[in-house]
């Protein structure tokens, strides 16, 4: 099998499992306990926090551990909404369901929720900026790198516009951190969410970066023992935090403007794969061709007669050929329905189920490309003839 589904979950990076085993052995106790076992666990937890903060150029107090990006997003949006009376929340029309789901909950709590429309490449329509960032908008949540189509949003310019207008901004960076770590001290956003398992760390842990100005104010989702400076009660997983720190330690810092070419040459590899696959006229690239996550390739697929092919069925045919890919985002691939992202991009209805996503990681090399292309074409042929 060749694994091309890094955007769903990446395998553990080298040394991560070993580090987790070591920490589980040495620091297995409850980090809130006052005895020596507890202190050892607490020290290990804080060391992981400090390492992660250091990689992101953040204050260690800015790093809040959660169970993953879905929880981080909910803490960010509910936490911000809890600070004020209901107003307007703007999200893009291509958010992950974690964000649109949290926004929907806020809608039921009296918030007006407005979706920022995107163009055919999945980029938010910047000509709508003044209108959407006018009062009563109080919060903006914008996905940085879209998981299904790979498009990178113009986060920096939008975030600066939010700052000028006093609008709080959260970004979902779940698909970005695996490619390059932003410099948090220079990023004009208030809150940032991510998951470890997209970065070669373990599942079950993520982070929310929180600016100092919000730390004491953000409303927690969970009450209880007051861990994570009161922002996330529940006994912390020292071992998962260590795994996340060990994974992020292997990722380089990246200038946000360079995100599309970050990731140690992975964009060149992806481009080489894209060029091979595009020799078949049944395949077209979906999403922004240039401003896209460097490890991400999304394709719309049709048959010899130009009729769209079901992405889900193609995923099964490719699996039988030894290629693990995904149709759209992993979370929605269990459902046979139109992709909400492709719908928001204005694709004709017949094409909204014909997307497949190939996402690469450091385990793929140039030597794999022939095999991938061959298997892909073979799987497509089988699907066309079925
Ligand atoms: C952009 C984005 N946000 C949030 C998530 C949710 O991450 P998790 O399932 O780790 O909570 C994902 C996962 O695919 C994602 O791609």
């Amino acid at each position: 099998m060749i694994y091309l589904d890094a955007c769903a979950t990446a395998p553990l990076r080298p040394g991560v499992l070993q580090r987790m085993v070591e920490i589980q052995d040495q620091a297995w106790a409850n980090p809130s306990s006052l005895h020596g076992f507890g202190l050892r666990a607490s020290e290990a937890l804080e060391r992981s926090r400090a390492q992660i903060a250091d990689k992101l150029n953040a204050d260690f107090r800015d790093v809040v551990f959660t169970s993953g990006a879905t929880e981080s997003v909910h803490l960010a949006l509910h936490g911000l909404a809890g600070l004020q009376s209901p107003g307007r929340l703007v999200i893009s029309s291509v958010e992950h369901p974690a964000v649109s789901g949290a926004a929907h909950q806020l809608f039921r709590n009296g918030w007006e929720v407005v979706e920022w429309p995107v163009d055919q490449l999945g980029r938010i329509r910047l000509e709508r900026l003044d209108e959407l960032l006018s009062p009563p908008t109080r919060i903006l949540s914008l996905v940085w790198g879209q998981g299904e189509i790979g498009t990178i949003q113009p986060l920096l310019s939008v975030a600066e516009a939010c700052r000028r207008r006093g609008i709080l901004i959260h970004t979902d960076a779940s698909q970005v951190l695996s490619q390059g770590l932003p410099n948090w001290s220079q990023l004009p956003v208030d809150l940032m969410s991510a998951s470890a398992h997209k970065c070669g760390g373990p599942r079950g842990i993520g982070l929310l970066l929180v600016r100092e100005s919000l730390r004491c104010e953000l409303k927690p989702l969970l009450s209880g023992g007051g861990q994570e400076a009161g922002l996330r009660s529940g006994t912390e997983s020292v071992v998962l935090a260590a795994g996340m720190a060990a994974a992020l330690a292997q990722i380089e810092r990246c200038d946000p403007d360079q995100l599309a070419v970050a990731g140690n040459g992975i964009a060149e590899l992806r481009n080489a794969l894209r060029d091979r696959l595009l020799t078949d006229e049944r395949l077209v690239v979906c999403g922004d061709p240039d401003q896209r996550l460097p490890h991400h390739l999304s394709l719309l697929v049709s048959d010899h007669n130009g009729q769209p092919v079901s992405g889900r069925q193609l995923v099964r045919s490719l699996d039988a050929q030894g290629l693990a890919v995904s149709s759209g985002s992993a979370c929605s691939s269990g459902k046979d329905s139109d992709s909400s992202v492709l719908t928001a991009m204005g694709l004709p209805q017949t094409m909204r189920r014909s997307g497949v996503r190939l996402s690469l990681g450091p385990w793929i090399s140039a030597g794999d490309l022939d095999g991938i292309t061959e298997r892909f074409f073979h799987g497509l042929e089988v699907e066309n003839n079925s």
Side-chain angles (χ1 to χ4, degrees), residues 50-193:
Q51 282 163 358
I52 292 170
D54 188 51
K55 285 294 293 190
L56 292 161
N57 205 16
D59 186 301
F60 70 94
R61 286 165 296 193
D62 295 350
V63 178
V64 177
F65 289 123
T66 65
S67 63
T70 298
E71 184 189 332
S72 300
V73 161
H74 279 73
L75 176 55
L77 297 188
H78 283 277
L80 289 178
L83 298 178
Q84 47 201 313
S85 52
R88 183 160 71 194
L89 161 69
V90 176
I91 63 173
S92 82
S93 57
V94 291
E95 294 298 316
H96 186 274
V99 172
S100 44
H104 188 68
Q105 290 168 344
L106 291 180
F107 171 74
R108 291 203 303 256
N109 294 348
W111 280 73
E112 181 192 355
V113 177
V114 174
E115 286 193 357
W116 193 328
V118 297
D119 61 18
Q120 288 222 325
L121 302 180
R123 274 169 74 88
I124 51 168
R125 292 188 176 276
L126 282 176
E127 67 274 16
R128 302 285 300 273
L129 184 142
D130 278 332
E131 172 204 339
L132 289 168
L133 299 188
S134 298
T137 298
R138 306 230 174 101
I139 306 172
L140 172 75
S141 188
L142 181 61
V143 62
W144 193 348
Q146 213 288 332
E148 184 175 332
I149 50 157
T151 297
I152 296 171
Q153 299 294 348
L155 176 70
L156 292 190
S157 53
V158 172
E160 270 149 17
C162 285
R163 280 270 156 98
R164 288 195 293 275
R165 291 164 165 86
I167 295 169
L168 293 163
I169 174 163
H170 162 255
T171 188
D172 175 1
S174 302
Q175 296 292 357
V176 164
L177 261 58
S178 61
Q179 305 309 301
L181 303 178
N183 180 343
W184 174 244
S185 72
Q186 288 175 6
L187 207 60
V189 306
D190 298 294
L191 297 154
M192 185 175 89
S193 294

